[in-house]
Amino acid sequence: SQLTSAMEKNREKLIDTLLPSAMSNPPAHWRKHIESNPNEDTMRKMLNNEIIHVSGSPSQLVNQMKIKLVFKAVTYELLSDEKFMMVAKEALPGLPELHTEYDAAKAKDIND
């Protein structure tokens, strides 16, 4: 609904901007569909239809959207990201931690 509202608002702005030019010099492919001296309402409708035809409707745009998730590698940035770590812990519940960070080299435990 937000996309629809934004597209309608932008279309209206575009129509307001293009209307004076379209009134004085209508596109050639419109001339067979309009009278010789078209009124503003007719030209607004023609512009509106043309913009919808060119840009598509919100439902067409959303239906064509696809998301593909591909993990290429786990980076330090991902290991520092709280959201990633939360998802990783849910996906790998048997793994106590994905990485451990130290300021210096880890000391060797005597019992190891």
Side-chain angles (χ1 to χ4, degrees), residues 19-35:
L19 185 62
S21 178
M23 290 290 292
S24 64
N25 188 19
H29 66 278
W30 290 7
R31 292 191 181 133
K32 62 183 174 185
H33 302 289
I34 58 175
E35 54 198 45

Side-chain angles (χ1 to χ4, degrees), residues 48-105:
N48 187 55
N49 291 341
E50 187 83 13
I51 293 168
I52 289 172
H53 176 72
V54 171
S55 64
S57 68
S59 61
Q60 288 171 326
L61 295 174
V62 172
N63 288 338
Q64 293 174 1
M65 288 182 182
K66 292 184 169 96
I67 296 175
K68 183 177 181 181
L69 178 63
V70 178
F71 287 105
K72 299 255 179 175
V74 176
T75 63
Y76 177 78
E77 287 78 16
L78 278 176
L79 294 172
S80 302
D81 183 80
E82 290 180 28
K83 289 181 182 177
F84 175 80
M85 292 302 292
M86 187 173 66
V87 171
K89 285 178 183 177
E90 287 177 14
L92 304 167
L95 191 63
E97 26 182 53
L98 293 178
H99 85 295
T100 307
E101 215 172 307
Y102 298 95
D103 289 334

Side-chain angles (χ1 to χ4, degrees), residues 11-25 27 30 43 47 50-51:
R11 189 171 58 245
E12 286 301 319
K13 285 181 185 177
L14 190 55
I15 289 170
D16 290 341
T17 302
L18 296 174
L19 185 62
S21 178
M23 290 290 292
S24 64
N25 188 19
W30 290 7
M43 293 305 285
L47 279 168
E50 187 83 13
I51 293 168

Side-chain angles (χ1 to χ4, degrees), residues 34-48:
I34 58 175
E35 54 198 45
S36 60
N37 196 12
N39 62 29
E40 186 175 312
D41 188 49
T42 300
M43 293 305 285
R44 278 188 176 281
K45 288 177 184 174
M46 295 297 288
L47 279 168
N48 187 55

